[in-house]
């Protein structure tokens, strides 16, 4: 095979065992936790009509403007590989006429054409939840704590929660006018992107990581200080509830997030372990999106967690337990049938069992067991069969013992804690 054929596309990852097993473990832990908070699984297509993303994330956002994988299909439709989950989930719920409120969760791949680096990929995975139709600040607090609970569950101790409120259609125009005014006086200090943003999407300037832009906007007006009484009340209620439940958080007046559908609450989970790509996940309210996408005037809030970043930040001790496979080895073809039968009994008892049918000798079967990471090897030999026993070898310690054929399942289960 030529080099080209063996190389994965830039910005993508392969997950082979044991990484694939570790990934599955995180996904399962997430879905289980989401389910106890009342979220039910949703699956949407990997591509949507391009309009769905333009209408939601906004034409001027980096995700839509620079990072989408957009293509025209054979019938001339413009389609886009989903760069995030929220618009597709909203579209699906509206299309199905789902009764609201409704809590939905998902895991799966997403696609953004960004510059790859550690923690940033062109195909990546998100773990997400969307609470459609829920308005109360208690929901905001509950979701923020749900995310924090997930990170604690997977052993990420150094995860901090940043929170902001970016207001609503009532308070934002005033704030926006003040911000534009402020930025216009400092255009020469801003990066090229921010000079453009200052006119079309000034909020995003607050979020720019460029040190020059950060310095120039250190004293910039922040949306949190321009909230209308309703937004202020909503925000204070969230903060009170988080304090009441001992959830630590940091107020970050610059946290506007990169997607245009947000209003009021925005939040992000930050890890010190990650370097430049330090956002483990984030979310916020999007009370106008359902209506903008042709649905009812209903509020909503959600969050998404980056799976690859979570796997990077989580300690390895959080890996799933070592694979507990029981290899069944047979001396010669004369014992093959008996070996197949005992493997079947193990599997019926829920113990993963595997054989090497291509092996010509017992040595190679032990090598196969080793390569597969099996926990033990159950040996079926002529002498053992005649005596009604099996030899079970612990592949971790190398020690062997004989167990009676009629109690072998219980013995293997107890010995290797299946
Ligand atoms: P987001 O902040 O764009 O929000 O993405 C959420 C998380 O996905 C990020 O914090 C990061 O961990 C991960 N992520 C994003 N881009 C990449 C990438 N290129 N490579 C690796 N990981 C990445 C959203 O996507 C919103 N849909 C969240 C949301 C749900 N808001 C409301 N509901």
């Amino acid at each position: 095979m030529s080099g080209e054929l063996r190389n994965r596309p830039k910005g993508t990852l392969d997950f082979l065992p044991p990484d694939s097993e570790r990934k599955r473990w995180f996904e399962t832990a997430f879905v289980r936790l989401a389910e106890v908070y009342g979220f039910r699984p949703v699956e949407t297509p990997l591509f949507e009509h391009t309009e769905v993303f333009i209408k939601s994330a906004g034409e001027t956002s980096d995700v839509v403007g620079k990072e989408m994988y957009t293509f025209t299909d054979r019938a001339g439709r413009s389609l886009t590989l989903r760069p995030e989950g929220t618009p597709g989930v909203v579209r699906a719920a509206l299309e199905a006429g789902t009764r609201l409120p409704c809590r939905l969760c998902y895991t799966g791949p997403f696609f953004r054409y960004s510059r790859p680096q550690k923690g940033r990929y062109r195909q990546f995975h998100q773990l997400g939840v969307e609470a459609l139709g829920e308005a109360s600040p208690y929901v905001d607090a509950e979701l923020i704590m749900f995310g924090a609970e997930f990170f604690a569950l997977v052993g990420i101790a150094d995860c901090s929660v940043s929170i902001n409120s970016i207001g609503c259609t009532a308070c934002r125009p005033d704030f926006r006018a003040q911000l534009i005014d402020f930025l216009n006086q400092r255009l020469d200090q801003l990066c090229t992107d921010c000079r453009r943003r200052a006119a079309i999407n000034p909020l995003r300037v607050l979020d720019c990581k460029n040190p020059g832009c950060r310095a120039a906007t250190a004293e910039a007006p922040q949306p949190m200080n321009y909230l209308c009484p309703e937004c202020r009340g909503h925000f204070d209620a969230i903060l009170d509830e988080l304090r009441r439940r001992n959830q630590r958080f940091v107020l970050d007046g610059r946290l506007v997030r990169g997607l245009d559908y947000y209003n009021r609450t925005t939040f992000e989970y930050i890890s010190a372990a990650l370097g430049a790509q330090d956002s483990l996940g984030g979310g916020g309210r999007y009370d106008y999106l359902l209506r903008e996408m042709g649905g009812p005037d209903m509020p909503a809030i959600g969050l998404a967690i980056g799976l690859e970043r979570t796997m990077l930040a989580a300690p390895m001790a959080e890996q799933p337990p070592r694979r507990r496979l029981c290899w069944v080895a047979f001396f010669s073809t004369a014992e093959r049938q008996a070996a197949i039968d005992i493997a079947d009994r193990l599997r019926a008892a829920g113990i993963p069992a595997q054989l090497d049918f291509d092996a010509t000798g017992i040595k190679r079967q032990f090598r196969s067991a080793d390569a597969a990471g099996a926990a033990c090897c159950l040996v079926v030999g002529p002498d053992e069969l005649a005596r009604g026993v099996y030899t079970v070898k612990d592949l971790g310690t190398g020690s062997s013992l004989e167990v009676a054929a009629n109690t072998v399942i219980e013995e293997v289960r107890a010995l290797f804690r299946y």
Side-chain angles (χ1 to χ4, degrees):
M1 221 195 290
S2 80
E4 183 86 323
L5 279 176
R6 272 182 303 160
N7 293 342
R8 57 181 188 266
K10 191 172 170 186
T12 64
L13 292 173
D14 295 312
F15 291 91
L16 290 160
D19 288 345
S20 51
E21 287 156 340
R22 192 166 178 252
K23 173 171 173 283
R24 182 70 64 86
W25 182 86
F26 282 90
E27 289 165 338
T28 307
F30 179 81
V31 171
R32 282 207 188 121
L33 186 65
E35 279 174 355
V36 301
Y37 276 80
F39 291 94
R40 297 167 72 191
V42 59
E43 291 193 29
T44 65
L46 296 193
F47 55 85
E48 296 276 354
H49 293 294
T50 302
E51 253 335 273
V52 170
F53 302 114
I54 294 180
K55 254 226 120 45
S56 50
E59 218 149 354
T60 57
S61 68
D62 282 356
V63 168
V64 170
K66 297 185 188 166
E67 299 180 350
M68 293 210 301
Y69 279 94
T70 297
F71 59 97
T72 308
D73 77 1
R74 286 169 192 270
R77 302 178 192 93
S78 178
L79 299 169
T80 294
L81 294 184
R82 57 184 197 184
E84 51 134 350
T86 312
V89 170
V90 170
R91 196 265 316 133
L94 294 180
E95 185 170 349
T98 307
R99 259 179 65 187
L100 302 180
C102 170
R103 291 190 162 195
L104 298 166
C105 65
Y106 51 91
T107 69
F110 294 86
F111 309 87
R112 294 185 193 177
Y113 191 85
S114 43
R115 197 169 47 79
Q117 54 180 284
K118 188 180 165 209
R120 188 161 73 188
Y121 310 97
R122 291 183 174 171
Q123 176 173 331
F124 59 100
H125 296 79
Q126 282 188 350
L127 312 167
V129 293
E130 313 292 346
L132 307 181
E134 295 187 60
S136 166
Y138 287 93
V139 179
D140 304 44
E142 187 175 79
L143 278 207
I144 290 167
M145 292 195 63
F146 160 80
E149 187 177 339
F150 173 73
F151 292 119
L153 181 76
V154 301
I156 300 177
D158 68 339
C159 166
S160 77
V161 183
S162 298
I163 308 181
N164 193 17
S165 176
I166 56 170
C168 67
T169 44
C171 42
R172 211 178 296 170
D174 179 29
F175 161 71
R176 198 170 182 272
Q178 300 282 338
L179 181 61
I180 291 177
D181 200 35
F182 177 93
L183 295 175
N184 280 342
Q185 293 167 37
R186 293 161 181 83
L187 283 181
D188 53 333
Q189 300 167 44
L190 302 178
C191 71
T192 330
D193 269 351
C194 281
R195 246 173 271 154
R196 189 174 45 84
R197 284 178 189 137
I200 52 169
N201 197 347
L203 243 75
R204 289 283 289 132
V205 177
L206 294 179
D207 203 30
C208 183
K209 302 284 183 278
N210 183 305
C213 296
R214 286 199 91 82
T217 57
E219 303 293 319
Q222 297 191 344
M224 208 192 281
N225 301 324
Y226 288 80
L227 299 180
C228 62
E230 287 74 23
C231 286
R232 185 76 248 171
H234 187 94
F235 194 45
D236 286 343
I238 299 168
L239 304 184
D240 285 347
E241 176 64 0
L242 292 175
R243 287 190 195 103
R244 192 187 69 80
R245 297 177 67 178
N246 296 322
Q247 171 63 52
R248 295 175 61 166
F249 60 84
V250 181
L251 288 181
D252 179 355
R254 286 173 170 266
L255 182 65
V256 296
R257 311 223 346 106
L259 304 157
D260 284 357
Y261 49 66
Y262 291 117
N263 69 299
R264 288 195 170 169
T265 326
T266 53
F267 55 96
E268 233 164 68
Y269 302 91
I270 312 287
S271 162
L274 281 180
Q277 302 306 312
D278 61 356
S279 166
L280 285 171
R285 279 214 158 265
Y286 47 96
D287 294 334
Y288 310 126
L289 186 58
L290 273 67
R291 199 188 52 205
E292 275 164 16
M293 290 182 68
D297 187 5
M298 294 282 261
I301 178 167
L303 69 89
I305 289 168
L307 180 55
E308 286 81 0
R309 293 186 194 175
T310 302
M311 289 176 68
L312 281 170
M316 278 308 204
E318 293 306 321
Q319 277 197 358
R322 208 170 89 83
R323 192 162 176 228
R324 293 213 219 96
L325 178 68
C326 178
W327 203 269
V328 180
F330 48 97
F331 258 79
S332 70
T333 49
E335 291 81 36
R336 184 169 51 207
Q337 200 56 54
I340 293 171
D341 291 348
I342 184 62
D344 274 350
R345 280 179 58 205
L346 289 162
R347 289 168 182 157
I351 299 172
Q354 195 179 335
L355 308 95
D356 182 353
F357 292 112
D358 292 326
T360 43
I362 197 84
K363 258 211 180 113
R364 162 148 163 203
Q365 292 178 66
F366 272 110
R367 272 207 301 276
S368 304
D370 232 26
C376 64
C377 189
L378 189 149
V379 183
V380 186
D383 171 51
E384 282 97 335
L385 277 185
R387 291 192 291 120
V389 297
Y390 298 107
T391 302
V392 179
K393 183 169 181 196
D394 185 330
L395 294 175
T397 62
S399 64
S400 297
L401 83 165
E402 252 180 32
V403 297
N406 54 356
T407 57
V408 63
I409 303 287
E410 292 71 30
E411 298 253 16
V412 169
R413 197 195 294 286
L415 275 170
F416 300 96
R417 280 185 250 109
Y418 284 102

